[in-house]
DNA sequence: GTGGTCTAGACCACA
DNA sequence: GTGGTCTAGACCACG
């Protein structure tokens, strides 16, 4: 699982983590019982305060998505509500629509937009690969 | 134009307004030169403070989306981004990256993602066209 | 950096701050990467509300002069205007026009005005150079 | 006397008028006893509300710069404090310095800046000439 | 400690 | 009526 933070989005960092982990959990990117990255290394990797990661995990526990076993770590609980395909599409549609609108205002045409999307996909896939190579 | 605030999303209220108005402007729900709702009545309707709406409008103004004339109101501007190409690419990259990350966690693969992007682009362009056909 | 507010000038306080800080930044009184005074202490020192200083800093940020990192502070950015050539010309034209109008009413003729402009340019360039020589 | 308003400077329109007229009065652009333009035509010419011009004149009367004779118009009072040459230079220096700083931030170099200054001077002189031709 | 958001309410400038 | 500025003070996110 690759987590990515945008410090300037206005959205609190801990909520970005919560959303990303919740999405992964509800879509099979994380399996039941699988351990989440532990707080300290993750905080270091993301260049974020440990408290911020801890807060995200606390929130996730509160939502019943994960379970914290003191001294052992955090684990994904039985996935109680996996997203349906349409639910996933809905979330994603919202994100994509925002990018489409931004492109329109910035007067970026369809081709340039699609090219940029592909470029970002490639860049992201490279990052995922690097990470899995390191693990 | 229908504006709706979600007070629990964690996203600042003024940014929710900015996004929704930008969407309306880009998709033709609002025409060039047309006045936006005045700050005070809108604030009342949304049960939000006047300053919060004012902040959203100020943000839209310096994104070059609207023009505000003190004493008269706020109006949709001819779209014409004042930013350099690289500044625009930076903004757009941020938007796209958010969608890419969401797709990754939702386990939506590259092809499905690209298909959805194209579908949203088409849908958006259709919407713009419909509105302009009504002229 | 010395900041001074004139409450009777009719010019909004936050704009006075913006101008003075821009001046300090441009003339080398503030170096790239250097932190600006924090909002709260500065507000107290100037006997102005915290929000007023925050508004000035926000304005500076979207002019691309400073960068603010929530939780850490505000820092002077590498100067690099994000505006298109025409947008920049527009801003500058406004500034110049104000000076031209003042010269007209002060009965300062074209040659004297141009001489003064050159003198101020030289003076400014000297100041910038001195500061950089101190490195 | 050519008056010029900038609606987006943040400075109240009536104060822009006050300053310009005061400068002209103190520098010989207006002579003692000379009538000022009457309110209605001036408001029309500047595309400003009559109240705004009236307020400027009221302020000037308050400052003792002009005298209003009901039914006849407004006249410049005996100029009690003409600006010295250095006083004029000081006011003008402030205006010019702001333009110089703006040029620096906008990365406009010396030559381009001087060219723009000359261009604006020419444009302004044309305007003055047109106006005097019409009178 | 930092900056960010929001509220409530005042006064000003302008049409 | 419009938007703009400013204050005072609360709470949040983050380090």
């Amino acid at each position: 699982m690759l987590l990515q933070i945008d410090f300037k989005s206005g959205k609190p960092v801990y909520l970005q983590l919560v959303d990303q982990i919740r999405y992964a959990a509800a879509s099979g990117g994380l399996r039941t019982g699988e351990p989440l990255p532990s707080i300290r290394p993750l905080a270091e990797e993301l260049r974020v305060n440990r408290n911020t990661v801890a807060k995200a995990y606390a929130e996730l526990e509160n939502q019943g998505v994960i379970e914290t076993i003191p001294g052992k770590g955090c684990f994904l609980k039985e996935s109680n509500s996996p997203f349906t395909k349409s639910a996933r599409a809905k979330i994603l549609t919202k994100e994509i629509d925002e990018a489409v609108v931004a492109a329109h205002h910035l007067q970026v045409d369809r081709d340039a937009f699609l090219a940029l999307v592909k470029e970002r996909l490639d860049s992201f896939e490279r990052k995922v690969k690097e990470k899995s190579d390191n693990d």
Side-chain angles (χ1 to χ4, degrees), chain A residues 33-131:
Chain A
E34 207 172 324
L36 276 76
S38 35
I39 292 183
R40 264 181 264 194
L42 180 57
E44 227 167 279
E45 185 191 325
L46 299 175
R47 304 187 169 209
V48 146
N49 193 288
R50 288 203 287 259
N51 296 333
T52 305
V53 178
K55 185 162 189 176
Y57 279 18
E59 176 67 20
L60 284 164
E61 183 160 23
N62 228 333
Q63 291 183 11
V65 178
I66 67 174
E67 188 169 21
T68 305
I69 303 179
K72 295 194 74 176
C74 301
F75 302 87
L76 188 61
K77 277 175 81 170
E78 188 135 358
S79 157
N80 30 13
S81 60
F83 288 160
T84 62
K85 205 170 171 183
S86 79
R88 277 181 268 174
K90 202 172 163 190
I91 294 170
L92 202 46
T93 294
K94 192 167 150 271
E95 298 285 344
I96 291 174
D97 280 357
E98 285 184 8
V100 169
V101 169
H104 181 265
H105 276 113
L106 297 170
Q107 294 162 289
V108 171
D109 68 26
R110 185 190 175 98
D111 289 342
F113 180 70
L114 283 173
L116 188 54
V117 168
K118 281 179 190 147
E119 196 259 303
R120 297 315 299 165
L121 268 172
D122 291 341
S123 156
F124 187 78
E125 280 164 10
R126 270 199 306 279
K127 241 186 249 170
V128 172
K129 191 167 178 309
E130 265 173 39
K131 183 161 165 55

